[in-house]
Amino acid sequence: MPQEYPSIQGGGSLILAWQIKNKRVLVVGGGEVAAGRILNVLNADAKVTVVSPRDGLNGEVAYRIEKGQVDHVDRKFEPSDLNNVDMVLAAIDDPEASTQIWKLCKERKIAANIADVPPECDFYFGSVHRDGPLQVMVSTNGNGPKLASIVRKQIASNLPNNIGAAIQKVGLLRRKLRKVAPAPDEGPKRMQWMSKVCETWNLEDLLEMDEEDMEALLCFYASETVPSLEQLRLGDEIEKYAFDGSFGWY
């Protein structure tokens, strides 16, 4: 019998969590759109330079410059601004200048986004919900930014409260596990065990878990078992529960 595989749906984007920490990002423009772009890349720990005449800055961009959160070049864009830059975000009301920036970026193989001109974008900005380490992005691939915002709000309203804090706890447990079992060939086993923790413990358990619980839980990694939080906190009493070989307790 032929095996069924997922069908191809062309026309989408490759959604990535792009790591730009300490990367040099050039923002051309200082208006409202630029302010949103600046916030996005600062949240990703990028190093940002804004090129815009001072009289074209909106309040938020001026504030970030004043606080030293971004560097500022008080003039219009020049080609030399692209030197040693990893990403370019153009947000200016000048289609001809924007296209020129796009062409220069292509010559230098620099990833660029030209605001409100989808054909001149290597990537799009979606509508993002943020809760600590959790980021949920919705993209319409340049078709309807407002609709992306509406969908994002609907998704966010259905997420559990404190899900971000629970994810932080899971991240700490995962880092501790890597110290317990650092060998590369332990990778698949680590992933399976962490998946089992997330499936076995509910959100309230994950939120309640402290570092003492984590250390106790890690003792069960070798046997690939995951007791409940209640069982874990029984301490010595947990021996009353017998492991039946199927990762279940009775």
Side-chain angles (χ1 to χ4, degrees):
M1 180 180 295
Q3 187 172 357
E4 293 187 6
Y5 297 102
S7 59
I8 305 301
Q9 299 181 43
S13 297
L14 180 61
I15 305 296
L16 301 171
W18 195 349
Q19 303 300 297
I20 59 171
K21 182 176 182 179
N22 294 326
K23 298 292 186 180
R24 273 287 171 191
V25 177
L26 177 70
V27 178
V28 182
E32 182 179 355
V33 174
R37 300 290 195 255
I38 290 168
L39 179 60
N40 283 329
V41 293
L42 285 178
N43 281 337
D45 301 321
K47 296 186 180 300
V48 182
T49 297
V50 176
V51 175
S52 173
R54 185 167 294 276
D55 60 9
L57 302 176
N58 82 345
E60 182 178 344
V61 177
Y63 169 82
R64 301 203 184 282
I65 292 171
E66 180 185 350
K67 295 298 181 181
Q69 297 174 355
V70 300
D71 296 329
H72 178 224
V73 179
D74 184 7
R75 57 166 169 74
K76 291 186 177 181
F77 170 83
E78 295 179 1
S80 60
D81 293 328
L82 297 179
N83 295 341
N84 302 313
V85 165
D86 300 297
M87 177 189 291
V88 173
L89 310 175
I92 54 177
D93 295 325
D94 186 334
E96 185 176 343
S98 294
T99 296
Q100 183 60 28
I101 293 171
W102 165 253
K103 290 179 178 179
L104 289 170
C105 288
K106 293 304 93 188
E107 291 175 4
R108 300 193 184 201
K109 295 181 170 55
I110 301 173
N113 173 282
I114 309 302
D116 206 31
V117 188
E120 297 182 354
C121 292
D122 291 309
F123 55 92
Y124 302 129
F125 283 87
S127 182
V128 178
H129 169 73
R130 179 78 183 269
D131 182 357
L134 175 67
Q135 290 178 274
V136 179
M137 190 190 89
V138 176
S139 173
T140 60
N141 287 295
N143 287 281
K146 181 58 179 179
L147 280 177
S149 176
I150 292 171
V151 173
R152 184 259 303 167
K153 290 177 181 177
Q154 182 64 43
I155 292 172
S157 69
N158 286 284
L159 291 173
N161 292 329
N162 297 319
I163 185 67
I167 292 172
Q168 287 182 319
K169 295 284 186 76
V170 171
L172 179 56
L173 176 65
R174 187 166 178 255
R175 291 189 291 274
K176 288 178 176 290
L177 176 58
R178 280 187 171 274
K179 293 181 179 179
V180 170
D185 59 4
E186 287 282 323
K189 181 179 175 181
R190 287 196 306 264
M191 291 177 63
Q192 291 174 4
W193 190 78
M194 284 300 306
S195 294
K196 194 175 299 181
V197 171
C198 294
E199 293 166 354
T200 302
W201 289 32
N202 60 36
L203 180 62
E204 289 72 25
D205 290 339
L206 293 172
L207 285 168
E208 188 178 342
M209 175 175 60
D210 57 27
E211 291 204 40
E212 185 176 344
D213 295 325
M214 293 181 195
E215 296 297 337
L217 183 57
L218 288 169
C219 294
F220 291 85
Y221 169 72
S223 62
E224 301 181 64
T225 60
V226 178
S228 68
L229 179 59
E230 181 182 5
Q231 292 168 342
L232 190 70
R233 289 182 172 178
L234 287 174
D236 294 337
E237 294 296 315
I238 200 170
E239 295 179 3
K240 293 181 180 179
Y241 294 87
F243 177 57
D244 64 5
S246 61
F247 306 119
W249 296 84
Y250 66 89

